[in-house]
Amino acid sequence: MDPIIALSHELIEKGSKSFAMAAKLLPRDTRYDAMMLYAWCRHCDDVIDDQILGFNRETGSEKSPQERLEGLRRDTSAALAGTASEPVFVALGRVAHKHHIPERHPMELLRGFEMDVNERVYETLEDTLDYCYHVAGVVGVMMAMIMGVRERPTLNRASDLGIAFQLTNICRDVVEDAKGGRLYLPRQWLREAGVPEDKVADPQYRRQVYEVTKRLLCEADEYYRSALFGMQRLPLGAAVGIGAARRVYRDIGRLVANRGESAWDGRAIVGPMRKLAAALSGATAAVRAHTTLRIGYAPPRDGLFTVPELGKPTRRNRPFAFLR
């Protein structure tokens, strides 16, 4: 196996078992390119957090977060120019060149990490969604480009799936993040629930935090539903893999919701058998969407977050309904 692909495969196997399982269902060439893109994303995330595959290093970096971010920008620019030497950046360069991924998209991901470096405050849901687009929605856009998508409506649906993934991650990790000084829940919602911003990790407020989290999971489910309709525009093999990933991540949100106030007593992990069942269910749903929705029908995305370059952003009031 090509050493760059081999390294990317190793990183995805160690860094995200859920995505690694779903990636196995993708056609080979698409799988390799998706793994190379993932390797770069994983590396950037680790550099910003000064971690290795999501775990703290034994010794911290001597560089400041801002210096690490600037280094990522330089190396990413070199990758897109075809002059990178570090394997994960060579991987990005290969994928971006092969699939004509615009430079703005990798740089949007780095702008998301800049929000962490600058300790951005997420006052409203729109603020949280903006963060989710930059650290995950744009990854969905790039993944869709790897699969041959170029039309804007489908790229919007791909962004929806990435946003849904990140909203799920926020809900799963809310207490752990709060202990580390990061807060992605809309502060407006926390005030409405009576939760002081510096008490999110306090067990005294666990019930209120759960209610805010459940509310955010409702938002995530809107994006999961929208993303399903984008799969009809993917090649069938790609739709199967993405459908599996969609269902596995959505199941993590269901697990958090079902645990109630004890959701953060231990990390919400979908076990191997449940993950396999979810992946098969998701793949089946994707096939159904791909075959029965080819007539082109898709409900409008009214109210879902959209960056201006991908479509005009709008919001609408939706009834509070969880995981319909």
Side-chain angles (χ1 to χ4, degrees):
M1 182 183 290
D2 179 289
I4 299 296
I5 295 175
L7 174 63
S8 301
H9 179 267
E10 180 182 356
L11 288 174
I12 195 173
E13 289 287 342
K14 292 181 178 179
S16 176
K17 291 182 172 56
S18 295
F19 189 65
M21 171 183 284
K24 288 181 173 67
L25 299 176
L26 294 171
R28 188 188 69 171
D29 288 347
T30 301
R31 179 171 70 252
Y32 288 167
D33 290 345
M35 289 191 303
M36 286 191 286
L37 179 62
Y38 173 88
W40 171 74
C41 295
R42 175 78 264 176
H43 174 79
C44 292
D45 195 15
D46 282 344
V47 168
I48 291 299
D49 289 341
D50 198 21
Q51 297 178 330
I52 298 176
L53 295 174
F55 295 95
N56 292 330
R57 299 173 184 268
E58 292 183 4
T59 56
S61 170
E62 295 180 357
K63 296 181 179 179
S64 70
Q66 188 64 49
E67 289 172 327
R68 297 198 296 271
L69 176 62
E70 289 303 320
L72 289 176
R73 285 179 173 142
R74 288 193 300 270
D75 291 341
T76 298
S77 294
L80 298 175
T83 60
S85 57
E86 191 172 348
V88 292
F89 292 99
V90 172
L92 171 65
R94 282 190 190 179
V95 172
H97 177 75
K98 177 180 178 181
H99 298 284
H100 306 287
I101 296 175
E103 179 180 357
R104 58 164 284 214
H105 292 317
M107 291 304 178
E108 280 179 321
L109 181 72
L110 298 186
R111 281 200 291 275
F113 293 138
E114 182 181 17
M115 295 177 193
D116 282 332
V117 170
N118 293 338
E119 299 181 349
R120 179 181 177 182
V121 172
Y122 303 97
E123 178 65 23
T124 66
L125 174 61
E126 291 294 326
D127 294 336
T128 297
L129 292 172
D130 185 44
Y131 173 76
C132 289
Y133 169 76
H134 280 88
V135 299
V138 72
V139 178
V141 170
M142 291 189 284
M143 286 289 183
M145 289 183 167
I146 286 174
M147 296 166 192
V149 174
R150 284 298 181 274
E151 64 272 19
R152 186 166 289 182
T154 305
L155 293 178
N156 282 332
R157 303 280 180 174
S159 171
D160 289 343
L161 186 58
I163 288 173
F165 286 172
Q166 189 61 29
L167 289 172
T168 300
N169 287 340
I170 288 172
C171 293
R172 179 193 62 194
D173 300 335
V174 60
V175 170
E176 181 181 347
D177 285 340
K179 289 178 179 178
R182 289 183 176 177
L183 180 58
Y184 301 107
L185 297 176
R187 298 194 181 202
Q188 186 179 77
W189 289 11
L190 289 170
R191 286 196 298 273
E192 291 171 3
V195 182
E197 295 171 5
D198 61 345
K199 298 293 184 181
V200 172
D202 191 329
Q204 176 184 350
Y205 294 96
R206 192 58 47 85
R207 179 183 61 79
Q208 295 95 318
V209 169
Y210 170 70
E211 291 300 326
V212 172
T213 300
K214 186 170 70 171
R215 186 177 174 184
L216 197 62
L217 285 170
C218 290
E219 289 289 334
D221 217 51
E222 296 287 344
Y223 288 85
Y224 279 121
R225 275 192 288 274
S226 173
L228 180 63
F229 288 91
M231 294 180 193
Q232 61 183 300
R233 298 300 184 187
L234 297 178
L236 180 58
V240 168
I242 297 304
R246 171 184 174 274
R247 186 63 179 80
V248 169
Y249 272 88
R250 196 178 186 190
D251 215 37
I252 294 173
R254 291 179 183 273
L255 188 59
V256 171
N258 292 338
R259 283 185 175 182
E261 296 174 32
S262 64
W264 304 281
D265 290 349
R267 188 176 176 84
I269 297 175
V270 178
M273 295 307 297
R274 179 170 175 170
K275 187 178 294 182
L276 178 60
L280 292 175
S281 174
T284 301
V287 171
R288 188 185 313 116
H290 195 276
T291 55
T292 64
L293 298 177
R294 290 301 292 179
I295 57 174
Y297 168 75
R301 294 180 60 258
D302 293 346
L304 299 188
F305 181 89
T306 308
V307 293
E309 294 85 349
L310 292 179
K312 184 177 179 180
T314 57
R315 294 290 299 170
R316 64 179 171 85
N317 293 323
R318 293 192 297 273
F320 189 91
F322 182 60
L323 297 178
R324 293 192 297 269

